[in-house]
Amino acid sequence: MANLLDKYQKMRDFGSTPEPSGKSLDRKSKELIFVVQKHQASQLHYDFRLELEGVLKSWAVPKGPSYDPGTKRLAMMTEDHPYDYAGFEGVIPEGNYGAGNVIIWDNGTWEYTGPDQDPVTSVRKGNLKFVLHGRKLFGEWALVRIARGSPKGNEWLLIKHRDRYANDTLDVTVEAPLSIISGRSVESVSGKKQWKSDRMATAGRKAPTIASALAAKRAGKRDKGQASTRKRASGKKAAAKKRTGSGKVAGSGKKGRTPSKKR
Ligand code: MN
């Protein structure tokens, strides 16, 4: 049986790059995970990865995701990456494939919604619909292969579906540019500290952040154009208070869940 990671592994020298080799599978989540890595390689792009078949199916999205259903973003399908890659943030040294800085821009879990019986079939057919439960990306999305015009057949479009999160005014890549793990920008990320994969997919549905801001903005049309970091932070606090009744702030990991034990 062909190893899905053959291509990934042949393209890299693991004595020279800190990227995971994919030799060991160390799953931490019961649900399928996704990650979006902002990658300052020769050209800035966002690597959009969905867990499937034990690996991360991957697309490079030059402009990043858009919440505007009318803005379809080109997504070039790239080689499958190992599951552990979802925890990678750091610097790929000069001389290596994809040299440059990488931050974990978003992560969480995803659910397949169609249009076939299973996601593997949908990827093969070039039409995959899914729901994201991230910290920046929420709601219904689709990846659709462009039928013609691409000699390699690797050109897809990443499209936001119309739902309560859709938004044609707020650019999520501008609004929320930093790493969700370290808070660093892609320019300032350090090569010295490598992040561990057990930090991923813990927040998911538990940490309302930019998605709540988007939904609130769309629903209430309040505070137009002022979804600042401060406002998001206070919205997060309020949401946490409402949910737990404890006033503790969500998104601080497992500690935030302890109040529920009292019930
Ligand atoms: Mn990349």
Side-chain angles (χ1 to χ4, degrees):
M1 193 173 114
N3 176 5
L4 292 172
L5 295 175
D6 274 352
K7 190 173 177 192
Y8 172 89
Q9 288 163 346
K10 278 177 188 156
M11 290 165 84
R12 288 167 180 80
D13 172 5
F14 296 105
S16 177
T17 179
E19 296 167 285
S21 67
K23 297 276 195 243
S24 65
L25 182 64
D26 188 19
R27 292 198 77 248
K28 293 285 200 305
S29 173
K30 284 178 190 167
E31 295 169 275
L32 295 172
I33 62 154
F34 84 92
V35 65
V36 182
Q37 280 149 323
K38 187 175 178 181
H39 184 183
Q40 181 64 69
S42 50
Q43 298 216 311
L44 180 73
H45 59 273
Y46 295 75
D47 288 302
F48 187 92
R49 311 189 197 279
L50 298 173
E51 179 191 359
L52 193 61
E53 298 183 290
V55 297
L56 301 175
K57 298 291 167 186
S58 298
W59 291 261
V61 185
K63 292 184 177 174
S66 171
Y67 267 102
D68 176 7
T71 303
K72 299 171 180 179
R73 289 283 158 85
L74 179 66
M76 309 295 291
M77 196 174 205
T78 57
E79 74 277 15
D80 293 346
H81 277 52
Y83 178 85
D84 285 356
Y85 208 95
F88 177 73
E89 173 168 308
V91 178
I92 303 171
E94 283 300 319
N96 288 280
Y97 179 75
N101 295 4
V102 176
I103 59 168
I104 298 176
W105 182 80
D106 197 18
N107 71 14
T109 60
W110 74 281
E111 289 176 71
Y112 174 66
T113 56
D116 306 292
Q117 293 300 310
D118 67 276
V120 175
T121 301
S122 297
V123 169
R124 184 170 48 75
K125 288 177 162 181
N127 182 7
L128 179 73
K129 299 185 196 312
F130 52 96
V131 173
L132 296 177
H133 305 280
R135 295 176 69 179
K136 296 175 184 177
L137 300 182
F138 266 69
E140 299 166 30
W141 298 75
L143 274 162
V144 181
R145 189 163 52 215
I146 300 170
R148 292 187 221 173
S150 169
K152 289 181 181 173
N154 65 342
E155 291 186 5
W156 297 56
L157 295 172
L158 176 64
I159 306 166
K160 181 74 194 77
H161 277 186
R162 293 196 184 280
D163 61 12
R164 67 198 165 106
Y165 297 110
N167 186 302
D168 61 5
T169 58
L170 194 153
D171 183 340
V172 68
T173 62
V174 172
E175 183 71 17
L178 305 178
S179 165
I180 58 160
I181 303 294
S182 64
R184 291 200 178 243
S185 67
V186 74
E187 293 83 8
S188 70
V189 69
S190 164
K192 286 171 188 161
K193 179 159 187 178
Q194 301 299 326
W195 295 89
K196 294 284 164 54
S197 59
D198 59 3
R199 289 290 300 274
M200 75 185 140
T202 54
R205 301 157 208 232
K206 308 267 190 315
T209 53
I210 194 161
S212 335
L214 287 166
K217 189 172 175 177
R218 186 170 176 83
K221 294 198 192 314
R222 53 174 196 188
D223 301 331
K224 198 177 178 189
Q226 288 193 40
S228 68
T229 305
R230 182 178 52 77
K231 277 185 191 298
R232 283 205 308 281
S234 62
K236 188 172 167 179
K237 199 169 183 176
K241 213 176 259 184
K242 195 174 174 183
R243 192 179 62 256
T244 63
S246 70
K248 290 203 176 176
V249 180
S252 54
K254 285 154 196 163
K255 286 165 201 150
R257 290 180 208 163
T258 49
S260 63
K261 271 188 182 174
K262 288 174 188 168
R263 278 193 264 139

